Amino acid sequence: QVQLVESGGGLAQPGGSLRLSCAASGSIFSIFVMGWYRQAPGKQRELVATIANNGDTNYADSVKGRFTISRENAKRTVYLQMNSLKPEDTAVYYCNRQSMLWPWGQGTQVTVSS
């Protein structure tokens, strides 16, 4: 059974930065396209960034140019560097495969507020 553990969230001021991490255990990791998702209060969960096993990345328009996804396959870990944060980035952030989802982790709360 795969377990996903997200960390690194917290409170940031507008314009600030945070780096999220997600560690996966219990399954082959390197071959899958991984993604970061977020869910704001009252909204559906949305996919904000993906990274393939060859390093190709894609971003939602709302985060393009501000967020950077990366991965370390040897550590079974995917990262999300978030810069120039905005209040609308406030959400619980999760990682998972891009498709054929694993069970969700607990997520990590990101709050952007002055």
Side-chain angles (χ1 to χ4, degrees), residues 25-78:
S25 63
S27 177
I28 298 172
F29 174 82
S30 61
I31 63 173
F32 299 120
V33 178
M34 294 297 297
W36 279 97
Y37 300 74
R38 67 185 181 187
Q39 187 167 21
K43 295 187 176 181
Q44 288 190 330
R45 193 171 298 178
E46 62 171 339
L47 179 62
V48 298
T50 62
I51 184 166
N53 57 355
N54 64 357
D56 287 348
T57 58
N58 280 288
Y59 299 92
D61 288 343
S62 58
V63 307
K64 199 171 294 183
R66 301 188 297 120
F67 289 10
T68 302
I69 188 171
S70 60
R71 66 192 295 167
E72 284 191 78
N73 289 333
K75 294 185 177 181
R76 306 163 68 87
T77 301
V78 61

Side-chain angles (χ1 to χ4, degrees), residues 76-97:
R76 306 163 68 87
T77 301
V78 61
Y79 305 97
L80 187 68
Q81 177 67 44
M82 305 187 296
N83 299 328
S84 302
L85 283 164
K86 303 176 180 180
E88 50 264 43
D89 295 320
T90 295
V92 180
Y93 284 73
Y94 304 85
C95 73
N96 211 317
R97 292 171 56 178

